[in-house]
Amino acid sequence: MDQRDEREFAEYFAAKRDAVRRTAYLLCGDWHKADDLAQTAFVALHRRWKKIRDRAATDAYVRKTLVRAVIDESRRPWRRERQTEVLPEPVDDSPGLAERVATREDLLAALKEVPPKQRAVLVLRFFDGLDVGAAAAALGCSEGNVKSQTARGLANLRQVLEREVETNG
């Protein structure tokens, strides 16, 4: 790549790295994996940067690459997550924060139990704020598939959260 392309890529990377990393975290539930997945997406983008004619489609390309990387990682048996009873970091004991964090932790834990494709649709639709058409384009599938995966994903998420409420109150 020439210097102009490198500069454009660097500007795009600086503008989007945090958003891509957050999306990766919501998809996988682990900040270290999210860093790796975001790096994978940006490396793929860098390789194809010169060939991208429509810069407006760059976000969709990165999102699609990210979702595919998450799904590929989930298929590797040696990379599967192991559940533990002890959280790695302490939680602040202030009442308002503790309630919010518990809710957030419950949601993230439940999201991990949803199958990868359904999780990808839920994250793109409800955390990234994409509509059905944009999510379908990012995932390379039909809008009907996005709708059915959303319905199934929400049903699975509800089931996991209800089980958590019954178990832990």
Side-chain angles (χ1 to χ4, degrees), residues 3-154:
Q3 286 184 343
R4 192 185 106 244
D5 286 336
E6 285 291 344
R7 185 175 21 81
E8 286 178 359
F9 178 80
E11 289 170 2
Y12 179 82
F13 174 76
K16 299 294 182 173
R17 98 178 132 218
D18 291 336
V20 170
R21 185 173 177 255
R22 276 192 306 272
T23 300
Y25 175 75
L26 289 170
L27 289 167
C28 72
D30 179 277
W31 283 112
H32 298 290
K33 284 183 187 176
D35 288 335
D36 292 343
L37 293 166
Q39 179 180 353
T40 299
F42 281 118
V43 167
L45 175 64
H46 187 267
R47 285 186 189 132
R48 300 205 31 99
W49 187 259
K50 242 180 145 167
K51 296 178 183 178
I52 297 175
R53 297 184 197 285
D54 182 12
R55 295 289 189 219
T58 306
D59 289 347
Y61 178 81
V62 170
R63 230 184 336 269
K64 190 173 193 174
T65 305
L66 183 63
V67 169
R68 286 181 176 169
V70 170
I71 291 171
D72 288 347
E73 277 294 308
S74 71
R75 290 180 178 156
R76 295 188 176 119
W78 60 87
R79 299 271 186 171
R80 293 202 176 113
E81 294 180 25
R82 292 174 193 89
Q83 299 294 328
T84 63
E85 294 296 321
V86 180
L87 294 175
E89 62 226 13
V91 177
D92 187 10
D93 290 338
S94 61
L97 180 62
E99 186 176 316
R100 275 193 321 224
V101 170
T103 304
R104 179 176 177 268
E105 287 174 354
D106 291 342
L107 178 62
L108 292 175
L111 201 55
K112 288 179 187 177
E113 294 188 39
V114 174
K117 288 184 181 180
Q118 293 173 7
R119 183 181 331 135
V121 169
L122 293 176
V123 168
L124 291 177
R125 293 279 324 280
F126 301 109
F127 291 96
D128 273 1
L130 298 182
D131 62 6
V132 173
L139 295 170
C141 63
S142 69
E143 290 185 14
N145 190 348
V146 170
K147 291 176 185 178
S148 65
Q149 291 294 323
T150 300
R152 289 183 190 127
L154 288 172

